[in-house]
């Protein structure tokens, strides 16, 4: 009887290696750091707005959620593009599961300091991850963070109308988002996931 | 001869190479994103005639887009250089006589090109949507010049960071740090430490009305400092570190010297015309900037209405109303008796309610502390009484103090007005330094 070949690494080491390949440790560190900083921050901040004459209050949770989404988007690249391609169906599941789990973790972590702003955190995080995944498919995972960052920074300066209300395109800064806003963000996340996960893996 | 010319190897010029570099890979995608977002932002800012007439407001709006374009451009530069290094392009360039610094600088040029293109498109959108009937002065060009230098400095900083680290977090962290610097200095300035204004990448909370233009005393040192930062990074990238440090120190020295010796503001009043156009009626005179003569009839009608309804309770109503900047005094400071400064530049002349409200507020004696909330509230009560006397609907509960007062005799109302204005001036004692 031929002896069974011994694996090169124990299973838990294999999991760690795979997780490191996807930068999961870095993503978790970013999300945890953002949530920890949130413990020191106020609920709402007054950011410099160019287009509003009224005082515009921005939820810190939404800003933190976008920052945490950068951590999620770090995992959008694959360590190798050859081996996972041999099983495309499982590859799509792995990719979707990975990003969805991390997005849920990011929303939960960022909502901890501001539980009453959960809807704002959910809306901002899902929109940011969705946008980033769409860009990751088009331009590569290294640039994925630029679209949410550009969107949220432009929205803080120009996204408010004269009376302090948000323009439609700046919905991800809503303090109390409408259900339509949250649904739009979830739809963006779904679209981004499908478009990105069905695309070719990029290292 | 022509065949000899054809055989001669063609030398690629920098603009051609930079254009090729800017239209592929990271610069292309970053450029498309930045153009799209700057158009969206500048288009939103200039919607529904929200910008003051003239060139300063749209140029400032376009330049303000640099406050979010520059951080993202810096982060994209990090990503671009890291990708170049990972794929071996920089190693290949390092084996040539020019070395890797030429390739790195080319990356900086290509990203600067796309960032400035996005900035230009955003500015054009703001300019197209603005009312350009107002003035254009040379000082206004300082706004786009600062924005361009800010973007170039940010891109160079990003490229340099990309050569120093392989971390995938470097790009987003640099972007967020630069964005944070644009907002953190504003928070610090609220505490009254006005010297921090010099450290702001672009002062955001200043609006440019028809009477205002950038103050070169503030913008020129800032421009020099930004240029010095860009030059310093460029020299460091070219392995001339000593010269780079020297340039950075020079830039810091210029900024420090300006912050400690000069006391300019971000904006200054334009030079007023010697003979501004004026309109007279019923003993009231309204003078406007030559570019805003279309507002004069609405202001005059409002001033006559205010005089008609309130001369019994406010005997010292002004006889002359000047638009902001036409008087030598600064806004908010006491002016000559019988003259009031009226800033109606931000209202539409068809909106008679807004003009009336501004004329009423300007008809009171100048405030000693316009930024003191207690004083402003008391003066607001007087303005509200003036509105009630004119029969305007006011958002007050029935039986409110102002409603009751408006039904009493003119003598009682005049005494109340005088007492309230004295009380408003007394409230200024709580805030001796009259700073916003």
């Amino acid at each position: 009887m031929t002896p069974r070949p011994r694996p090169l690494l124990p299973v838990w080491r294999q999991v760690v290696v795979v997780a490191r390949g996807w930068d999961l440790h870095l993503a978790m560190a970013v999300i945890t750091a953002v949530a920890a900083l949130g413990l020191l921050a106020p609920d709402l901040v007054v950011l410099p707005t160019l287009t509003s004459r009224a005082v515009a209050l921005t939820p810190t949770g939404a800003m933190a959620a976008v920052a945490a989404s950068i951590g999620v988007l770090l995992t959008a690249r694959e360590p190798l593009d050859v081996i996972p391609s041999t099983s495309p169906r499982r590859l799509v599941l792995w990719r979707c599961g990975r990003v969805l789990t991390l997005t849920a973790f990011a929303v939960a972590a960022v909502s901890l300091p501001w539980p009453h702003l959960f809807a704002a955190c959910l809306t901002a995080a899902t929109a940011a991850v969705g946008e980033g995944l769409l860009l990751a498919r088009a331009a590569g995972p290294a640039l994925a963070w630029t679209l949410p960052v550009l969107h949220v920074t432009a929205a803080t300066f120009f996204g408010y109308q004269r009376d302090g209300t948000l323009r439609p395109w700046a919905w991800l800064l809503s303090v109390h988002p409408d259900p339509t806003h949250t649904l739009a963000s979830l739809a963006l996340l779904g679209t981004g996931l499908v478009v990105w996960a069905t695309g070719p893996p990029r290292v | 001869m022509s065949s000899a010319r054809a055989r001669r190897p063609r030398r690629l010029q920098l603009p051609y190479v930079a254009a090729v570099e800017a239209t592929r890979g990271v610069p292309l995608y970053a450029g498309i994103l930045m153009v799209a977002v700057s158009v969206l932002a500048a288009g939103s800012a200039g919607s529904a005639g929200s910008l003051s007439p003239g060139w300063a407001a749209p140029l400032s709006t376009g330049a303000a887009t640099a406050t979010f374009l520059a951080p993202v451009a810096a982060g994209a530069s990090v990503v671009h250089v890291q990708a170049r290094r990972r794929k071996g392009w920089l190693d290949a360039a390092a084996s040539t006589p020019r070395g890797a610094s030429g390739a790195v600088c080319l990356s900086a040029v290509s990203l600067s090109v796309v960032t400035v293109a996005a900035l230009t498109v955003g500015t054009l959108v703001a300019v197209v949507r603005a009312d350009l009937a107002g003035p254009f002065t040379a000082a206004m060009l300082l706004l786009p010049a600062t924005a361009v230098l800010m973007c170039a400095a940010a891109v160079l900083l990003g490229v340099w960071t990309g050569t120093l680290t392989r971390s995938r977090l470097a790009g987003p962290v640099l972007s967020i740090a630069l964005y944070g610097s644009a907002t953190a200095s504003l928070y610090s300035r609220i505490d009254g430490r006005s010297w921090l204004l010099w450290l702001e990448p672009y002062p955001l909370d200043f609006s440019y009305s028809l009477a205002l233009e950038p103050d070169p005393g503030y913008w020129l040192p800032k421009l020099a400092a930004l240029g010095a930062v860009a030059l310093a990074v460029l020299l460091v990238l070219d392995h001339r570190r000593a010269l780079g440090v020297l340039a950075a120190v020079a830039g810091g020295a210029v900024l420090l010297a300006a912050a400690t010796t000069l006391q300019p503001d971000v904006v200054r009043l334009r030079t007023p015309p010697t003979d501004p156009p004026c309109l007279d009626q019923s003993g009231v005179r309204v003078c406007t900037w030559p570019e805003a003569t279309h507002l004069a009839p609405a202001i005059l009608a409002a001033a006559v209405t205010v005089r008609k309804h309130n001369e019994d309770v406010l005997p010292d109503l002004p006889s002359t109303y000047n638009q902001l900047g036409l008087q030598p005094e600064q806004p908010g400071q006491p002016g000559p008796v019988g003259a009031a400064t009226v800033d109606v530049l931000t209202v539409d002349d068809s909106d008679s309610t807004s003009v009336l409200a501004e004329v009423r507020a300007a008809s009171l004696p100048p405030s000693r502390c316009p930024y003191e909330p207690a004083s402003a509230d008391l003066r607001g009560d007087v303005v509200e009484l003036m509105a009630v006397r004119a029969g305007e609907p006011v958002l007050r509960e029935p039986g409110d103090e102002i409603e009751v007062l408006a039904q009493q005799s003119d003598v009682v109302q005049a005494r109340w007005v005088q007492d309230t204005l004295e009380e408003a001036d007394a409230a200024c004692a709580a805030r001796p330094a009259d700073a916003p």
Side-chain angles (χ1 to χ4, degrees):
Chain A
M1 186 178 169
T2 314
R4 203 173 166 185
R6 194 179 164 190
L8 290 175
L9 289 171
V11 174
W12 68 272
R13 287 289 302 276
Q14 290 182 35
V15 171
V16 168
V17 167
V18 171
R20 282 180 67 88
W22 281 326
D23 283 337
L24 286 180
H25 62 304
L26 205 55
M28 301 285 265
V30 169
I31 294 167
T32 311
V34 168
L37 284 175
L39 291 172
L40 307 171
D43 291 3
L44 302 168
V45 286
V46 181
L47 292 175
T49 61
L50 284 165
T51 48
S52 168
R53 292 194 164 190
V55 174
L57 294 170
T58 307
T60 319
M63 303 284 286
V66 174
S69 75
I70 293 172
V72 179
L73 292 170
L74 282 176
T75 65
R77 81 180 179 122
E78 303 292 339
L80 293 167
D81 62 351
V82 180
I83 296 172
S85 301
T86 55
S87 59
R89 188 180 299 166
R90 289 191 65 189
L91 173 68
V92 170
L93 291 177
W94 270 114
R95 300 175 95 185
C96 288
R98 185 169 83 227
V99 167
L100 274 178
T101 310
L102 270 176
T103 307
F105 175 67
V107 172
V110 169
S111 301
L112 272 180
W114 306 282
H116 54 288
L117 293 177
F118 173 77
C121 296
L122 177 72
T123 306
T126 48
V129 173
E131 286 175 357
L133 291 178
L134 285 173
L135 188 63
R137 171 70 192 267
L143 267 184
W145 59 271
T146 53
L147 182 53
V149 169
L150 204 52
H151 188 174
V152 78
T153 52
T156 58
F157 292 135
F158 288 93
Y160 291 90
Q161 304 187 60
R162 296 182 97 182
D163 59 355
T165 55
L166 282 168
R167 293 181 195 281
W169 60 267
W171 86 97
L172 77 173
L173 290 182
S174 305
V175 181
H176 299 293
D178 294 338
T180 48
H181 289 156
T182 310
L183 283 176
S185 293
L186 289 170
L188 195 54
L189 175 64
T191 312
L193 265 179
V194 170
V195 169
W196 167 74
T198 53
R202 295 212 199 186
V203 290
Chain B
M1 187 177 169
S2 61
S3 60
R5 242 182 221 169
R7 281 197 300 271
R8 191 179 300 164
R10 189 180 166 193
R11 191 177 171 192
L12 295 177
Q13 300 297 318
L14 178 65
Y16 174 76
V17 178
V20 169
E21 178 95 356
T23 49
R24 59 189 62 190
V26 172
L28 172 68
Y29 290 113
I32 290 172
L33 278 184
M34 288 192 286
V35 167
V37 177
S38 68
V39 166
L40 187 68
S44 300
S47 62
S50 56
L51 296 176
S52 300
W55 284 79
L59 287 179
S60 176
T61 301
T65 59
T67 49
F68 61 83
L69 291 181
V72 171
S77 307
V78 176
V79 172
H80 186 44
V81 172
Q82 285 177 337
R84 282 286 150 110
R85 190 158 68 167
R86 198 170 55 246
K87 290 174 183 171
W89 284 105
L90 291 191
D91 292 336
S95 65
T96 62
R98 183 179 274 183
S101 61
V104 169
C105 290
L106 187 62
S107 300
V109 169
S110 64
L111 273 151
S112 297
V113 164
V114 296
T115 311
V116 171
L119 190 67
T120 309
V121 172
T123 307
L124 281 177
V125 169
V127 165
V128 164
R129 302 200 70 173
D131 174 13
L132 300 178
F136 176 82
T137 60
M140 293 174 190
L141 289 175
L142 289 167
L143 302 173
T146 307
V148 167
L149 264 185
M150 194 163 77
C151 288
V155 165
L156 282 164
L157 210 58
V159 165
W160 185 33
T161 310
T163 60
L164 296 178
T165 174
R166 290 174 186 269
S167 169
R168 297 184 59 219
L169 270 177
V173 166
L174 182 65
S175 276
I176 291 172
L178 289 179
Y179 168 75
S181 74
T183 51
S185 51
L186 184 81
Y187 284 122
S188 310
R189 190 148 52 79
I190 290 170
D191 298 337
R193 288 173 288 174
S194 59
W195 58 270
L196 278 167
L197 186 65
W198 291 91
L199 297 181
E200 280 187 36
Y202 188 87
L204 282 161
D205 55 339
F206 289 85
S207 55
Y208 290 84
S209 70
L210 190 60
L212 300 174
E213 66 178 7
D215 189 347
Y218 170 80
W219 290 97
L220 282 176
K222 184 173 275 283
L223 210 59
L226 276 171
V229 168
L231 182 66
V233 180
L234 201 60
L235 288 169
V236 168
L237 285 173
D238 202 27
H239 301 297
R240 298 177 190 175
R241 289 189 179 83
L243 279 176
V245 171
L246 204 63
V249 169
V254 166
L255 210 57
L256 191 66
T260 49
T261 58
L262 300 175
Q263 293 293 329
D265 203 350
V266 175
V267 291
R268 70 175 183 187
L269 291 171
R270 286 168 52 213
T271 310
T274 51
D275 189 18
C278 298
L279 276 183
D280 295 275
Q281 185 188 333
S282 309
V284 179
R285 185 180 176 84
V286 168
C287 298
T288 58
W289 285 86
E291 299 89 357
T293 48
H294 62 287
L295 291 174
I299 303 170
L300 187 61
V304 169
T305 307
V306 167
R307 175 167 286 264
K308 181 180 144 193
H309 289 291
N310 299 292
E311 58 187 351
D312 293 334
V313 294
L314 276 161
D316 294 331
L317 279 172
S319 58
T320 304
Y321 291 83
N322 291 313
Q323 261 191 312
L324 177 69
L326 289 181
Q327 272 185 265
E329 288 78 20
Q330 293 294 316
Q333 299 296 315
V337 176
T341 300
V342 188
D343 180 8
V344 288
L345 300 170
T346 54
V347 299
D348 188 356
D349 56 351
S350 62
D351 189 359
S352 57
T353 313
S354 303
V355 178
L356 258 175
E358 292 210 36
V359 170
R360 278 195 198 108
S363 298
L364 301 181
S367 171
R368 283 177 50 208
C369 52
Y371 302 110
E372 171 61 38
S375 172
D377 284 351
L378 288 165
R379 292 170 66 86
D381 286 346
V382 178
V383 170
E384 206 156 318
L385 174 67
M386 295 163 80
V388 173
R389 284 176 62 86
E392 280 188 21
V394 180
L395 295 175
R396 288 256 182 185
E397 293 177 6
D400 185 83
E401 183 194 10
I402 304 289
E403 290 272 357
V404 173
L405 186 68
Q407 291 162 5
Q408 296 186 13
S409 68
D410 288 347
V411 178
V412 174
Q413 290 183 41
R415 196 182 315 126
W416 180 85
V417 166
Q418 193 171 355
D419 290 348
T420 308
L421 290 176
E422 283 174 5
E423 205 180 330
D425 277 348
C428 294
R431 193 175 199 177
D434 191 19

